[in-house]
Amino acid sequence: MNTGPELPADFRAQLPALANKTYFNYGGQGPLPSSSLEAITAAWRTIQELGPFSGAVWPFVEQTTSQLRQHLADWFGVPSHRLAFSENVTSGCVLPLWGLPWQAGDELLISDCEHPGVVAACRELAHRQALTISTLPVADLRGTAADTNKQVLQRLDRQLSPATRLVVLSHLLWNTGQVMPIAAVASQLSSHPKHPWLLVDGAQSLGAIPIETAAAAADIYGCTGHKWCCGPEGLGAVALSERVVREARPTLIGWRSLSHAASGQSEFHTDSRRFEVATSCIPLCAGLEQSLHLLEAQGTAEERLALIQQRSGYLWQGLQANPRVRTLLELPPPAGLVSFELSGENPECVVKRLGEQGIWLRSLDDPHCLRACTHITSTEAEIEQLLGALQTL
């Protein structure tokens, strides 16, 4: 089976992290292209040459941040005023979430496939605000997209209660690799008497699958640039609905939250910037901007997803030939996450043994399994190398 057209050689050549290893951990952190690192360095140099706190530097800072804000807003499918910068997915989700007007007894409905960072934040929020938590089961949905979408909406209908005030559901599940019907969920929630807010963890979706429809429909849609976008760590973004911007109060507050940064008496920004805090690393914006351009040069979001699916499908099919392997999904993955169990082997030990061969994937705790991620940069030879190594364990 052919995994489709190869990327231009110069793109892979920009990824030094791929030079001496076989890499399947894009869902943890993507490799940073050399030109993105150079953009970061160039931005840092410019700031120092202009003077890091001089009158001359601020136009450069504003241009760098506003350019990336608009670029990401285009990827998110929302106006730029609905987009706030964050350090990562967790902070992007938690800062507006904690500022919403909660009442004792409100219910948080959280899927059973959410990342521990978001779950822990919701648990602490529930503790502080006397909220209740219930579970939306989606971990067992391993079949077709049509059946998954139907089951999610049916289960959501059963789990919603008069007290439900928030639903937490990832777009692309980080453990099973299944895609959730976010826009349809948002539509169903709009008919609920309390119109619960919808928080979406997009950690695995930005750069992997088209997100415009889902991000525009969610109330809080948090993403990071360091995974599938192959940007630098420490920079992410969150898209907020108009009602969240209107109803939520800032929780971690700094001068960037204020419409007039020089006055502590200033009102907060009236847009999503009220959830930005204070000094951050501007050169990272230049790095992520370059990574986005590199990805766009490989095709549209839909075209890139097709490449990712070809590669993950090739891996999924190859795993079926190993009698000791059971893939979590019953069909080829809808994106680049391929989770599987290897009978008779401890996942952590497998990761260590493969790492000794220069092959890197990861283990997951729930479900306890292995996860390999294929991106547009993955090659057929790399996939064959992983399949062969699994056969010989």
PDB file of all heavy atoms in Angstrom, residues 173-191:
ATOM      1  N   LEU A 173      -9.891  12.878  20.223  1.00  0.00           N
ATOM      2  CA  LEU A 173      -9.572  12.257  21.505  1.00  0.00           C
ATOM      3  C   LEU A 173      -8.114  11.828  21.544  1.00  0.00           C
ATOM      4  O   LEU A 173      -7.641  11.098  20.668  1.00  0.00           O
ATOM      5  CB  LEU A 173     -10.486  11.060  21.751  1.00  0.00           C
ATOM      6  CG  LEU A 173     -11.995  11.354  21.733  1.00  0.00           C
ATOM      7  CD1 LEU A 173     -12.791  10.086  22.041  1.00  0.00           C
ATOM      8  CD2 LEU A 173     -12.354  12.462  22.720  1.00  0.00           C
ATOM      9  N   TRP A 174      -7.417  12.254  22.590  1.00  0.00           N
ATOM     10  CA  TRP A 174      -5.971  12.047  22.663  1.00  0.00           C
ATOM     11  C   TRP A 174      -5.583  10.608  22.922  1.00  0.00           C
ATOM     12  O   TRP A 174      -4.447  10.213  22.692  1.00  0.00           O
ATOM     13  CB  TRP A 174      -5.359  12.948  23.733  1.00  0.00           C
ATOM     14  CG  TRP A 174      -5.614  12.505  25.147  1.00  0.00           C
ATOM     15  CD1 TRP A 174      -6.814  12.434  25.783  1.00  0.00           C
ATOM     16  CD2 TRP A 174      -4.629  12.070  26.097  1.00  0.00           C
ATOM     17  NE1 TRP A 174      -6.641  11.993  27.081  1.00  0.00           N
ATOM     18  CE2 TRP A 174      -5.309  11.767  27.292  1.00  0.00           C
ATOM     19  CE3 TRP A 174      -3.237  11.938  26.055  1.00  0.00           C
ATOM     20  CZ2 TRP A 174      -4.646  11.310  28.426  1.00  0.00           C
ATOM     21  CZ3 TRP A 174      -2.580  11.481  27.184  1.00  0.00           C
ATOM     22  CH2 TRP A 174      -3.285  11.169  28.363  1.00  0.00           C
ATOM     23  N   ASN A 175      -6.531   9.784  23.384  1.00  0.00           N
ATOM     24  CA  ASN A 175      -6.206   8.401  23.720  1.00  0.00           C
ATOM     25  C   ASN A 175      -6.688   7.399  22.663  1.00  0.00           C
ATOM     26  O   ASN A 175      -5.917   6.569  22.203  1.00  0.00           O
ATOM     27  CB  ASN A 175      -6.746   8.021  25.105  1.00  0.00           C
ATOM     28  CG  ASN A 175      -8.036   8.741  25.435  1.00  0.00           C
ATOM     29  OD1 ASN A 175      -8.845   9.046  24.554  1.00  0.00           O
ATOM     30  ND2 ASN A 175      -8.242   9.017  26.713  1.00  0.00           N
ATOM     31  N   THR A 176      -7.950   7.484  22.241  1.00  0.00           N
ATOM     32  CA  THR A 176      -8.436   6.518  21.247  1.00  0.00           C
ATOM     33  C   THR A 176      -8.215   6.984  19.814  1.00  0.00           C
ATOM     34  O   THR A 176      -8.185   6.168  18.896  1.00  0.00           O
ATOM     35  CB  THR A 176      -9.937   6.229  21.439  1.00  0.00           C
ATOM     36  OG1 THR A 176     -10.703   7.395  21.082  1.00  0.00           O
ATOM     37  CG2 THR A 176     -10.245   5.840  22.874  1.00  0.00           C
ATOM     38  N   GLY A 177      -8.084   8.300  19.606  1.00  0.00           N
ATOM     39  CA  GLY A 177      -7.897   8.816  18.259  1.00  0.00           C
ATOM     40  C   GLY A 177      -9.178   9.072  17.504  1.00  0.00           C
ATOM     41  O   GLY A 177      -9.143   9.389  16.305  1.00  0.00           O
ATOM     42  N   GLN A 178     -10.318   8.975  18.177  1.00  0.00           N
ATOM     43  CA  GLN A 178     -11.616   9.203  17.520  1.00  0.00           C
ATOM     44  C   GLN A 178     -11.930  10.693  17.467  1.00  0.00           C
ATOM     45  O   GLN A 178     -11.523  11.456  18.346  1.00  0.00           O
ATOM     46  CB  GLN A 178     -12.718   8.457  18.278  1.00  0.00           C
ATOM     47  CG  GLN A 178     -14.017   8.261  17.521  1.00  0.00           C
ATOM     48  CD  GLN A 178     -13.885   7.320  16.344  1.00  0.00           C
ATOM     49  OE1 GLN A 178     -13.227   7.647  15.355  1.00  0.00           O
ATOM     50  NE2 GLN A 178     -14.500   6.162  16.436  1.00  0.00           N
ATOM     51  N   VAL A 179     -12.652  11.118  16.427  1.00  0.00           N
ATOM     52  CA  VAL A 179     -13.074  12.509  16.267  1.00  0.00           C
ATOM     53  C   VAL A 179     -14.495  12.669  16.782  1.00  0.00           C
ATOM     54  O   VAL A 179     -15.368  11.837  16.502  1.00  0.00           O
ATOM     55  CB  VAL A 179     -12.991  12.946  14.793  1.00  0.00           C
ATOM     56  CG1 VAL A 179     -13.588  14.338  14.603  1.00  0.00           C
ATOM     57  CG2 VAL A 179     -11.544  12.937  14.326  1.00  0.00           C
ATOM     58  N   MET A 180     -14.733  13.729  17.536  1.00  0.00           N
ATOM     59  CA  MET A 180     -16.046  14.005  18.109  1.00  0.00           C
ATOM     60  C   MET A 180     -16.798  15.051  17.271  1.00  0.00           C
ATOM     61  O   MET A 180     -16.183  15.982  16.732  1.00  0.00           O
ATOM     62  CB  MET A 180     -15.902  14.520  19.542  1.00  0.00           C
ATOM     63  CG  MET A 180     -15.283  13.532  20.523  1.00  0.00           C
ATOM     64  SD  MET A 180     -16.396  12.127  20.931  1.00  0.00           S
ATOM     65  CE  MET A 180     -15.730  10.840  19.833  1.00  0.00           C
ATOM     66  N   PRO A 181     -18.136  14.932  17.187  1.00  0.00           N
ATOM     67  CA  PRO A 181     -18.948  15.849  16.369  1.00  0.00           C
ATOM     68  C   PRO A 181     -19.242  17.152  17.115  1.00  0.00           C
ATOM     69  O   PRO A 181     -20.367  17.398  17.572  1.00  0.00           O
ATOM     70  CB  PRO A 181     -20.221  15.041  16.115  1.00  0.00           C
ATOM     71  CG  PRO A 181     -20.379  14.207  17.356  1.00  0.00           C
ATOM     72  CD  PRO A 181     -18.965  13.842  17.767  1.00  0.00           C
ATOM     73  N   ILE A 182     -18.256  18.011  17.226  1.00  0.00           N
ATOM     74  CA  ILE A 182     -18.351  19.193  18.083  1.00  0.00           C
ATOM     75  C   ILE A 182     -19.476  20.129  17.653  1.00  0.00           C
ATOM     76  O   ILE A 182     -20.250  20.612  18.490  1.00  0.00           O
ATOM     77  CB  ILE A 182     -17.006  19.940  18.108  1.00  0.00           C
ATOM     78  CG1 ILE A 182     -15.915  19.044  18.700  1.00  0.00           C
ATOM     79  CG2 ILE A 182     -17.143  21.237  18.904  1.00  0.00           C
ATOM     80  CD1 ILE A 182     -16.183  18.554  20.103  1.00  0.00           C
ATOM     81  N   ALA A 183     -19.589  20.411  16.371  1.00  0.00           N
ATOM     82  CA  ALA A 183     -20.626  21.339  15.915  1.00  0.00           C
ATOM     83  C   ALA A 183     -22.016  20.795  16.229  1.00  0.00           C
ATOM     84  O   ALA A 183     -22.910  21.548  16.644  1.00  0.00           O
ATOM     85  CB  ALA A 183     -20.476  21.608  14.426  1.00  0.00           C
ATOM     86  N   ALA A 184     -22.219  19.499  16.051  1.00  0.00           N
ATOM     87  CA  ALA A 184     -23.524  18.899  16.345  1.00  0.00           C
ATOM     88  C   ALA A 184     -23.802  18.922  17.847  1.00  0.00           C
ATOM     89  O   ALA A 184     -24.946  19.138  18.276  1.00  0.00           O
ATOM     90  CB  ALA A 184     -23.565  17.462  15.822  1.00  0.00           C
ATOM     91  N   VAL A 185     -22.778  18.707  18.655  1.00  0.00           N
ATOM     92  CA  VAL A 185     -22.938  18.798  20.105  1.00  0.00           C
ATOM     93  C   VAL A 185     -23.336  20.211  20.502  1.00  0.00           C
ATOM     94  O   VAL A 185     -24.251  20.420  21.318  1.00  0.00           O
ATOM     95  CB  VAL A 185     -21.640  18.377  20.818  1.00  0.00           C
ATOM     96  CG1 VAL A 185     -21.686  18.744  22.301  1.00  0.00           C
ATOM     97  CG2 VAL A 185     -21.405  16.879  20.653  1.00  0.00           C
ATOM     98  N   ALA A 186     -22.672  21.204  19.928  1.00  0.00           N
ATOM     99  CA  ALA A 186     -22.996  22.599  20.234  1.00  0.00           C
ATOM    100  C   ALA A 186     -24.439  22.911  19.853  1.00  0.00           C
ATOM    101  O   ALA A 186     -25.156  23.601  20.595  1.00  0.00           O
ATOM    102  CB  ALA A 186     -22.041  23.530  19.493  1.00  0.00           C
ATOM    103  N   SER A 187     -24.879  22.394  18.718  1.00  0.00           N
ATOM    104  CA  SER A 187     -26.258  22.625  18.290  1.00  0.00           C
ATOM    105  C   SER A 187     -27.251  21.993  19.262  1.00  0.00           C
ATOM    106  O   SER A 187     -28.277  22.593  19.603  1.00  0.00           O
ATOM    107  CB  SER A 187     -26.455  22.050  16.885  1.00  0.00           C
ATOM    108  OG  SER A 187     -27.787  22.208  16.455  1.00  0.00           O
ATOM    109  N   GLN A 188     -26.934  20.784  19.738  1.00  0.00           N
ATOM    110  CA  GLN A 188     -27.826  20.111  20.681  1.00  0.00           C
ATOM    111  C   GLN A 188     -27.874  20.861  22.016  1.00  0.00           C
ATOM    112  O   GLN A 188     -28.941  20.980  22.629  1.00  0.00           O
ATOM    113  CB  GLN A 188     -27.340  18.677  20.893  1.00  0.00           C
ATOM    114  CG  GLN A 188     -28.304  17.810  21.705  1.00  0.00           C
ATOM    115  CD  GLN A 188     -28.026  16.326  21.518  1.00  0.00           C
ATOM    116  OE1 GLN A 188     -27.705  15.887  20.426  1.00  0.00           O
ATOM    117  NE2 GLN A 188     -28.149  15.557  22.587  1.00  0.00           N
ATOM    118  N   LEU A 189     -26.745  21.387  22.450  1.00  0.00           N
ATOM    119  CA  LEU A 189     -26.717  22.122  23.715  1.00  0.00           C
ATOM    120  C   LEU A 189     -27.512  23.419  23.635  1.00  0.00           C
ATOM    121  O   LEU A 189     -28.037  23.898  24.651  1.00  0.00           O
ATOM    122  CB  LEU A 189     -25.274  22.429  24.116  1.00  0.00           C
ATOM    123  CG  LEU A 189     -24.394  21.236  24.483  1.00  0.00           C
ATOM    124  CD1 LEU A 189     -22.991  21.707  24.854  1.00  0.00           C
ATOM    125  CD2 LEU A 189     -25.004  20.431  25.621  1.00  0.00           C
ATOM    126  N   SER A 190     -27.618  23.992  22.454  1.00  0.00           N
ATOM    127  CA  SER A 190     -28.323  25.267  22.308  1.00  0.00           C
ATOM    128  C   SER A 190     -29.813  25.140  22.601  1.00  0.00           C
ATOM    129  O   SER A 190     -30.485  26.137  22.889  1.00  0.00           O
ATOM    130  CB  SER A 190     -28.129  25.829  20.900  1.00  0.00           C
ATOM    131  OG  SER A 190     -28.762  25.015  19.930  1.00  0.00           O
ATOM    132  N   SER A 191     -30.345  23.913  22.544  1.00  0.00           N
ATOM    133  CA  SER A 191     -31.768  23.716  22.839  1.00  0.00           C
ATOM    134  C   SER A 191     -32.025  23.361  24.298  1.00  0.00           C
ATOM    135  O   SER A 191     -33.174  23.241  24.717  1.00  0.00           O
ATOM    136  CB  SER A 191     -32.340  22.617  21.933  1.00  0.00           C
ATOM    137  OG  SER A 191     -31.697  21.373  22.180  1.00  0.00           O
TER     138      SER A 191
END
